[in-house]
C-alpha cells in the first residue's frame, strides 16, 4: 500500500524568507501524481501544486516550487518570499494508477511577521 | 460550477443516533472520495467510488459506517449508531480521469461532526 510521510509536524518561517516542507512516499508504481494541498483555518482544501511522475522537470507555481526526486521518492515543497497568508496546514498527497488519493499527516506552517 | 457541495456544514448529535452526511460532486467528475480528518490521524481515506461503484472501502473503520452513491450527482456517508470517537471533520472530494490524465481532487467544505 502506498504511504506518504511528512516528517515535520510544524515549521515556522519569517515573512519574506524561504521555507521547505518535506515529503517522502512509498510506492512500487512508476506512473503517479503527487500533490501539495494547503488547508487554512477555514479548513478548505486548496491545491497548491501538482507533479506528474513521468515529468523530470520540477513543477512551479509562482512562489511555490517542488523538488521531485523520483529515485529517492521525495517530493518537497519550497515556498519563496513567504507571506502571512501562507500560514496553514500543508498536506502532501500521492495518487497512483488506481486513483486512490493518499495524504500525509500534514505540516503546520507558521509565518512570523 | 459551484464546486463540491457538502451538507450539513456542522452536525451535533447524541451517541447512538444515526448520522447521514451528504455530498454533491462536481458535475462530470467520475471519482468521489470520502475522508475523515482528526488531529490524531490526519486525513484518512474512508472509501472512494468510480462511476458510482465503490472501488476501495478498506478505510471504513467498522460496520457502523456505510457509504452509497446512487447516482453520479449524489453520495451519502452514514454512521449508525454514532459514537463520540466518530467526532471529526468529514470531507468529500471529486475528480475526473479522462484519457489517462487525471485532474486534482476538488474538496467540499467539510462537515464537522460532534457526537456527544
Amino acid at each position: 500500500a502506498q504511504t506518504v510521510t511528512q516528517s515535520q509536524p510544524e515549521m515556522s518561517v519569517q515573512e519574506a524568507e524561504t521555507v521547505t516542507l518535506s515529503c517522502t512516499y512509498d510506492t512500487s508504481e512508476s506512473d503517479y501524481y503527487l500533490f501539495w494541498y494547503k488547508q487554512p483555518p477555514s479548513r478548505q482544501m486548496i491545491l497548491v501544486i501538482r507533479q506528474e511522475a513521468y515529468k523530470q522537470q520540477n513543477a512551479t507555481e509562482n512562489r511555490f516550487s517542488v523538488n521531485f526526486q523520483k529515485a529517492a521518492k521525495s517530493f518537497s515543497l519550497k515556498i519563496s518570499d513567504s507571506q502571512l497568508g501562507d500560514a496553514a496546514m500543508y498536506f502532501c498527497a500521492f495518487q497512483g494508477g488506481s486513483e486512490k488519493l493518499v495524504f500525509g499527516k500534514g505540516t503546520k506552517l507558521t509565518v512570523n511577521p | 460550477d459551484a464546486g463540491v457541495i457538502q451538507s450539513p456544514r456542522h452536525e451535533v448529535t447524541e451517541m447512538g443516533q444515526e448520522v447521514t452526511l451528504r455530498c454533491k460532486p462536481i458535475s462530470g467528475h467520475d471519482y468521489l472520495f470520502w475522508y475523515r480528518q482528526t488531529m490524531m490521524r490526519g486525513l484518512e481515506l474512508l472509501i472512494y467510488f468510480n462511476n458510482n461503484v465503490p472501488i476501495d472501502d478498506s478505510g471504513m473503520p467498522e460496520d457502523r459506517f456505510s457509504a452509497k452513491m446512487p447516482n453520479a450527482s449524489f453520495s451519502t456517508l452514514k454512521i449508525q449508531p454514532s459514537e463520540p470517537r466518530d467526532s471529526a471533520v468529514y470531507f468529500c472530494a471529486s475528480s475526473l480521469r479522462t484519457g489517462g490524465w487525471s485532474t486534482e481532487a476538488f474538496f467540499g467544505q467539510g462537515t464537522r461532526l460532534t457526537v456527544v
Side-chain angles (χ1 to χ4, degrees):
Chain A
Q2 289 88 0
T3 58
V4 178
T5 302
Q6 293 179 249
S7 59
Q8 306 152 318
E10 295 188 26
M11 291 282 285
S12 63
V13 63
Q14 290 296 126
E15 196 175 3
E17 297 294 306
T18 295
V19 65
T20 298
L21 308 184
S22 301
C23 173
T24 58
Y25 57 94
D26 187 25
T27 184
S28 58
E29 298 185 50
S30 59
D31 238 352
Y32 47 86
Y33 298 92
L34 295 163
F35 305 88
W36 279 98
Y37 279 84
K38 170 184 176 181
Q39 186 181 43
S42 66
R43 83 173 183 233
Q44 179 67 50
M45 294 288 285
I46 303 165
L47 178 70
V48 175
I49 200 166
R50 63 178 278 163
Q51 174 82 41
E52 291 85 355
Y54 66 86
K55 289 186 177 179
Q56 293 189 348
Q57 187 172 9
N58 289 325
T60 62
E61 286 288 340
N62 301 313
R63 297 181 295 106
F64 299 87
S65 61
V66 299
N67 183 3
F68 173 47
Q69 301 288 328
K70 191 172 184 179
K73 297 180 182 174
S74 170
F75 183 61
S76 61
L77 174 70
K78 185 171 82 171
I79 306 173
S80 303
D81 184 25
S82 297
Q83 300 175 1
L84 295 177
D86 295 334
M89 285 290 291
Y90 286 82
F91 293 94
C92 178
F94 171 97
Q95 186 172 45
S98 67
E99 297 296 315
K100 187 172 183 176
L101 182 61
V102 178
F103 285 82
K105 290 196 182 303
T107 296
K108 182 179 180 181
L109 179 65
T110 301
V111 181
N112 300 310
Chain B
D1 201 313
V4 177
I5 300 173
Q6 290 187 247
S7 63
R9 290 291 309 276
H10 306 275
E11 176 81 32
V12 180
T13 190
E14 292 186 347
M15 183 173 63
Q17 296 298 305
E18 176 180 295
V19 175
T20 299
L21 311 181
R22 296 172 176 80
C23 175
K24 176 179 167 55
I26 292 173
S27 178
H29 279 193
D30 55 355
Y31 282 86
L32 184 139
F33 306 84
W34 279 102
Y35 290 89
R36 176 172 69 176
Q37 184 178 30
T38 61
M39 288 292 292
M40 290 295 294
R41 302 172 73 92
L43 268 166
E44 302 173 273
L45 176 62
L46 301 177
I47 185 171
Y48 74 105
F49 296 82
N50 175 220
N51 291 323
N52 314 338
V53 176
I55 303 300
D56 186 341
D57 65 354
S58 60
M60 296 285 262
E62 48 198 274
D63 292 346
R64 297 184 298 105
F65 286 69
S66 62
K68 294 182 179 179
M69 193 165 185
N71 57 62
S73 58
F74 184 65
S75 178
T76 60
L77 178 67
K78 186 177 293 186
I79 309 173
Q80 164 65 19
S82 58
E83 296 183 3
R85 59 193 168 117
D86 302 330
S87 297
V89 178
Y90 291 81
F91 284 100
C92 174
S94 70
S95 68
L96 172 65
R97 186 176 180 93
T98 176
W101 176 83
S102 179
T103 68
E104 71 269 20
F106 293 83
F107 281 75
Q109 293 274 62
T111 295
R112 179 176 294 280
L113 173 66
T114 304
V115 184
V116 298

